[in-house]
Amino acid sequence: MTFDNTAKKLQSQATVLDIEQIRADFPILSQQVHGKPLVYLDNAATTQKPNQVIETIDQYYRQYNSNIHRGVHTLSERGTAAYEKARLTIRDFINASSEKEIILLSGATEAINLVAQSYGRSRLSEGDEIIISQMEHHSNIVPWQIVAEQTGASLKVIPINDAGELIMDEYRKLLTDKTRLVAVGHISNALGSINPIKEIIDLAHEYGALALVDGAQAVPHTVVDVQALDCDFYAFSGHKLFGPTGTGVLYGKQTLLEDMPPYQAGGDMIKMVTFEKTIYNDLPYKFEAGTPHISGVIGLGAAIEYVNNIGLQAIAAYEHELLDYATEALTTVKGLRIIGTAANKVSVLSFIMDNIHPHDLGTILDHAGIAIRTGHHCAMPVMQHFQIPATARASMAFYNTKQEIDCLVQGIEYAKKVFA
Ligand code: C6P
């Protein structure tokens, strides 16, 4: 499907979701935990998988398990066709102009490391500057620290304000003619803040720098169009998008990827090998060494088709309703402070409680069947800004309901009594 068609489809689907029917697609949601109906509010960590994804993977292993791009036999041809079809689905999902720009990897983490080690290591040198932000996930901090150490480049950090928003004026001040790369998250996992990503990319380009977007938390919640954004790289994980763990995508502009050296070496990424010389394969295979996560990628294709069928605009509208409801409900809880109050947010709510450590709260909620995440969320600099060790985080997907948010509030009130 072309992007134009996809966009039209999304517009026509911006209607009310049938949550009961949607929940029926997710078998895991109907179970009990500690004798209570499961309330799954840890979607920023990983999302649950619909039957359509589970059955697609089951079918692969039952009917055509094989290695791809190698065999001439029927199973291998079926596997290759399904794998490459998934790549096209991913291409259309983010509106890349070519499937050559879609590198299939193990997750957002690997995608960012690929750019740091392939592009960064070969192109950066002493005096060059990389800009990241204070709200990054560690996956978009540590790869740049490593490459800075390897090349002599230095790292600059865009600060955040107390609402959990990037201070754009500070970003403008950090940009110089030495800036080579800006690597910023589209949406914060710890705060839910939606960053002005288009503006960030455009400003980077004004200074001749490349822009990498960590979209791990964005693709499940919002339409992403890499051509409209004009980003140079866009990274995301399949498991946060209702697909299998161990899958992820790096989008990169074809001209950049063509010029970059391979990141890993092995089977499939070569055209010809002799002991004197190796000729690398064409894109995207140059960056896909070894047997990939075949069933996972095929499952990710099914997950994206599932999301497309519901429609990301309808998902975003419903999740926004949930966010408003949950924000209001949590605001009524005495002794609770929401961490991350950006004007533009997705359905992620981080909070702390007077006199209750987030881990204790998480344990009590678990006993009520409620799954949230507690800790630093792999975003320690965010915690350092707010001078807290950790938060409790409830993150919602389109299968969550207002009743589940009511359960969360009841669970928190119960925890307060326990710690009174
Ligand atoms: N955040 C969370 O609970 P991987 O592990 O490669 O699939 O994704 C890493 C990653 C990168 N960027 C952002 C913004 C993320 O949120 C994550 C994963 C999970 O918030 C696990 S720490």
Side-chain angles (χ1 to χ4, degrees), residues 24-25 31 51 56 68 91 101 126 135 145 152 157 179 200 217 232-233 255 302 304 316 342 349 375 391 396 398:
D25 287 333
Q31 70 179 292
N51 281 321
T56 298
I68 55 167
R91 176 199 64 190
E101 300 180 319
E126 188 94 35
M135 71 165 77
Q145 287 176 324
V157 182
T179 311
I200 291 168
Q217 296 293 343
D232 299 289
F233 301 104
T255 45
I304 292 175
L349 273 166
T391 73
M396 294 158 278
F398 55 74

Side-chain angles (χ1 to χ4, degrees), residues 1-274:
M1 190 190 294
T2 65
F3 178 72
D4 281 347
N5 285 342
T6 311
K8 273 183 212 139
K9 201 171 157 206
L10 291 175
Q11 270 167 16
S12 69
Q13 286 172 339
T15 48
V16 179
L17 304 185
D18 183 345
I19 304 301
E20 278 313 301
Q21 201 187 328
I22 286 172
R23 287 181 70 86
D25 287 333
F26 292 81
I28 204 168
L29 295 178
S30 58
Q31 70 179 292
Q32 302 223 324
V33 170
H34 296 301
K36 304 275 164 40
L38 169 66
V39 174
Y40 186 77
L41 297 174
D42 195 16
N43 294 286
T46 198
T47 52
Q48 300 302 346
K49 321 304 171 200
N51 281 321
Q52 289 80 343
V53 170
I54 298 167
E55 283 158 14
T56 298
I57 295 167
D58 183 82
Q59 232 174 40
Y60 166 77
Y61 282 118
R62 284 179 194 280
Q63 297 175 14
Y64 60 102
N65 174 49
S66 53
N67 211 328
I68 55 167
H69 302 143
R70 289 160 170 86
V72 290
H73 60 78
T74 302
L75 296 194
S76 178
E77 279 174 3
R78 272 187 75 187
T80 303
Y83 188 87
E84 292 303 330
K85 180 170 168 265
R87 194 192 304 274
L88 302 185
T89 304
I90 295 163
R91 176 199 64 190
D92 294 343
F93 181 64
I94 57 169
N95 194 32
S97 56
S98 164
E99 59 277 17
K100 292 183 177 169
E101 300 180 319
I102 303 297
I103 314 294
L104 299 169
L105 302 164
S106 67
T109 301
E110 188 180 18
I112 298 167
N113 275 280
L114 189 160
V115 178
Q117 284 304 308
S118 169
Y119 182 85
R121 200 169 181 183
S122 65
R123 299 287 187 277
L124 298 176
S125 56
E126 188 94 35
D128 289 343
E129 293 172 354
I130 305 163
I131 296 179
I132 58 171
S133 93
Q134 196 175 4
M135 71 165 77
E136 298 313 309
H137 186 279
H138 299 161
S139 291
N140 200 29
I141 300 175
V142 187
W144 304 114
Q145 287 176 324
I146 292 174
V147 84
E149 223 167 78
Q150 289 165 335
T151 60
S154 58
L155 209 57
K156 289 174 154 183
V157 182
I158 312 168
I160 57 175
N161 62 23
D162 290 342
E165 296 164 321
L166 294 179
I167 305 177
M168 290 296 284
D169 283 343
E170 295 298 323
Y171 172 46
R172 286 187 193 92
K173 285 186 209 157
L174 292 179
L175 285 159
T176 70
D177 58 0
K178 291 180 188 159
T179 311
R180 296 281 169 268
L181 195 125
V182 175
V184 171
H186 194 161
I187 292 177
S188 156
N189 69 319
L191 303 165
S193 323
I194 305 173
N195 290 323
I197 203 67
K198 175 68 181 148
E199 197 185 339
I200 291 168
I201 295 163
D202 288 348
L203 279 165
H205 287 167
E206 272 178 34
Y207 284 80
L210 297 185
L212 175 143
V213 182
D214 173 359
Q217 296 293 343
V219 284
H221 300 293
T222 183
V223 177
V224 171
D225 178 336
V226 290
Q227 290 189 71
L229 286 176
D230 194 28
C231 54
D232 299 289
F233 301 104
Y234 197 97
F236 63 94
S237 298
H239 70 99
K240 295 187 200 288
L241 186 55
F242 314 96
T245 51
T247 61
V249 177
L250 173 69
Y251 158 80
K253 282 183 182 162
Q254 191 174 337
T255 45
L256 290 169
L257 293 174
E258 300 274 14
D259 266 3
M260 284 160 52
Y263 154 69
Q264 290 188 334
D268 229 21
M269 52 74 73
I270 54 87
K271 266 187 180 160
M272 198 218 36
V273 177
T274 65

